[in-house]
Amino acid sequence: MLKPLSRLILLLALLFLPLAAFGQQGLEALTIQETEDGQTWSLSVQVLVLMTLLTLLPAIVLMMTAFTRIIVVLAILRQALGTASTPSNQVLIGLALFLTLFVMMPVFDEINETALQPYLAEELGPEEALEQASEPMREFMIQQTREDDIALFLGIANHGEVETPDDVPMTVLIPAFMTSELKTAFIIGFVLYLPFLVIDLVVASTLMSMGMLMLSPMIISLPFKIMLFVLVDGWSLIMGTLASSFFM
């Protein structure tokens, strides 16, 4: 009876001794030291923060860049053409992603110069680098956000009026930016939809006057819509309009 009991006590002691040592000394790999310039994070903490930010990267791409407007317009365009799966979702997402990269390149270059390179050269700490990186993104979002949308979310949050756009908190700016982007995307999509809707109406009325009620108008109108889109060089117009809409 004593042997199993002594083994159990020894096992518990071996388990709790590292915990006691951890409580006294702390884990050196996960430390934040106070310095004259502020706080210095250990390498493990910096890697942990970086990996956490990478998991949030898809949300950042959706919420804080031009991706939402572009992908919504392309989806409406595909619906207007009547091609349910052409171009495929992969093609549309890839096209929207690289067009987003083209539109956001000046912002990314500024982030690289003012935040990333100084951080890699150890001239800025993580907090300062994050603050410097948020400034170009904030400026881009403010330029694309309507004042009415900002006022709406400021009122919902009971934040009160702000004197300058720089005083708008990110928690208000991001949903206001998303609302403005969706509104702009649907306006562009509506303008794109109109000429294809006219073709559908003309084809449907023609088939009805000829008594071809059993023939689907979509089968007849699809070649005409594709022909119209190709003749006016539709892809160049769409890409150029979407890209220039962010620089107006």
Side-chain angles (χ1 to χ4, degrees):
M1 289 294 294
L2 293 176
K3 253 185 191 179
L5 183 60
S6 61
R7 288 179 182 176
L8 181 60
I9 294 174
L10 180 60
L11 181 61
L12 291 175
L14 291 176
L15 288 175
F16 283 106
L17 277 176
L19 293 178
F22 175 77
Q24 292 175 359
Q25 298 178 0
L27 192 60
E28 294 182 358
L30 301 174
T31 56
I32 301 177
Q33 299 178 353
E34 294 287 345
T35 61
E36 295 180 357
D37 298 331
Q39 293 180 341
T40 302
W41 296 4
S42 66
L43 181 60
S44 299
V45 174
Q46 296 182 28
V47 171
L48 179 62
V49 172
L50 179 61
M51 295 302 294
T52 304
L53 291 177
L54 288 178
T55 59
L56 297 175
L57 185 61
I60 294 174
V61 171
L62 287 175
M63 301 289 290
M64 302 175 65
T65 65
F67 182 82
T68 300
R69 181 190 303 186
I70 296 171
I71 192 63
V72 170
V73 170
L74 293 179
I76 294 176
L77 173 64
R78 185 175 65 179
Q79 185 71 24
L81 282 171
T83 54
S85 59
T86 304
S88 63
N89 291 331
Q90 292 84 353
V91 173
L92 289 185
I93 292 174
L95 184 59
L97 189 60
F98 280 96
L99 189 58
T100 300
L101 185 63
F102 171 77
V103 172
M104 300 295 297
M105 188 54 66
V107 179
F108 293 155
D109 288 338
E110 187 175 354
I111 291 175
N112 181 57
E113 293 177 2
T114 61
L116 181 59
Q117 293 303 323
Y119 173 72
L120 295 177
E122 298 183 355
E123 297 176 0
L124 291 177
E127 295 179 355
E128 292 83 1
L130 185 61
E131 184 178 355
Q132 289 291 333
S134 65
E135 290 302 321
M137 295 298 298
R138 170 187 287 273
E139 183 178 354
F140 170 79
M141 288 190 292
I142 287 177
Q143 290 177 355
Q144 306 300 324
T145 307
R146 294 175 174 82
E147 295 182 0
D148 296 339
D149 295 325
I150 295 178
L152 171 65
F153 285 96
L154 284 175
I156 294 174
N158 293 324
H159 189 276
E161 296 183 357
V162 293
E163 296 181 358
T164 62
D166 295 333
D167 297 332
V168 179
M170 291 294 287
T171 54
V172 171
L173 181 58
I174 292 176
F177 171 74
M178 283 297 298
T179 304
S180 293
E181 286 295 284
L182 289 174
K183 189 182 299 183
T184 303
F186 273 85
I187 291 174
I188 298 175
F190 172 76
V191 175
L192 289 175
Y193 212 108
L194 285 180
F196 301 110
L197 180 61
V198 171
I199 293 177
D200 286 334
L201 291 175
V202 170
V203 171
S205 61
T206 302
L207 292 177
M208 185 176 296
S209 63
M210 296 175 63
M212 299 180 179
L213 301 178
M214 301 301 295
L215 183 61
S216 174
M218 294 296 298
I219 299 176
I220 307 300
S221 64
L222 180 58
F224 289 100
K225 290 190 287 187
I226 294 177
M227 182 181 65
L228 173 64
F229 192 70
V230 171
L231 288 178
V232 299
D233 198 7
W235 286 113
S236 297
L237 289 175
I238 296 299
M239 297 299 106
T241 301
L242 284 174
S244 60
S245 67
F246 292 96
F247 300 102
M248 296 178 62

